[in-house]
Amino acid sequence: MSKISFFTIIYLVFLFFSCDNKDCCDYPDVFREPTTSQELMGTWLLYESGYSPGGGYITNPVNADPPQTIQLKPENEFSSTMQGLTSYNYYFILQDTFMNASVLSLYKTLPSNIPEYPDTLGLNYTVGRNESEDLILYFRFCIEGCHMAFRKID
């Protein structure tokens, strides 16, 4: 066995055993079951954001003043007071069959055809729910986890 492959194997073994759930791989506990639009309708208040800088998972509370909300309404209408989301007016709950997850897909204009899968035309978040039935939106394809957590207020 060459020195390079020996050191590579040692490094990989060290990396595997050094990563425990508390240090580098800790994501918020959520249920990844498919979610329906009906379940999510209402007004949701942002109370937490989370991210990983590469080591550990950091969650920060979000100040409730001014309130940052998203609202999922009948007829797939969407509104928000959150910076970056105010121009989105429509939503769909889609299924990512590859990841076996529900996706909140936001659109500025109503698509001419109802999308079957998440696409690049919309702004997409993977949907999760925690034990308190809060809404957890994950930034799609954020490698080490990034989320926004919301409590239902209406």
Side-chain angles (χ1 to χ4, degrees), residues 79-118:
S79 65
S80 178
T81 62
M82 295 176 59
Q83 183 177 2
L85 296 182
T86 57
S87 62
Y88 290 89
N89 300 306
Y90 299 95
Y91 77 96
F92 290 95
I93 303 297
L94 307 174
Q95 292 303 310
D96 180 340
T97 54
F98 181 73
M99 300 289 290
N100 192 26
S102 296
V103 175
L104 173 65
S105 193
L106 304 178
Y107 296 87
K108 293 181 180 184
T109 59
L110 188 62
S112 56
N113 295 316
I114 296 175
E116 201 171 325
Y117 305 103

Side-chain angles (χ1 to χ4, degrees), residues 13 21-22 37 40 43 45 68 71 74 81 83 86 103 109 114 123 126 138 142 146-147:
V13 169
N21 284 341
K22 296 294 181 204
S37 295
L40 299 179
T43 303
L45 175 69
Q68 297 182 62
Q71 189 174 27
T81 62
Q83 183 177 2
T86 57
V103 175
T109 59
I114 296 175
L123 178 62
T126 301
Y138 290 94
C142 180
C146 311
H147 81 277

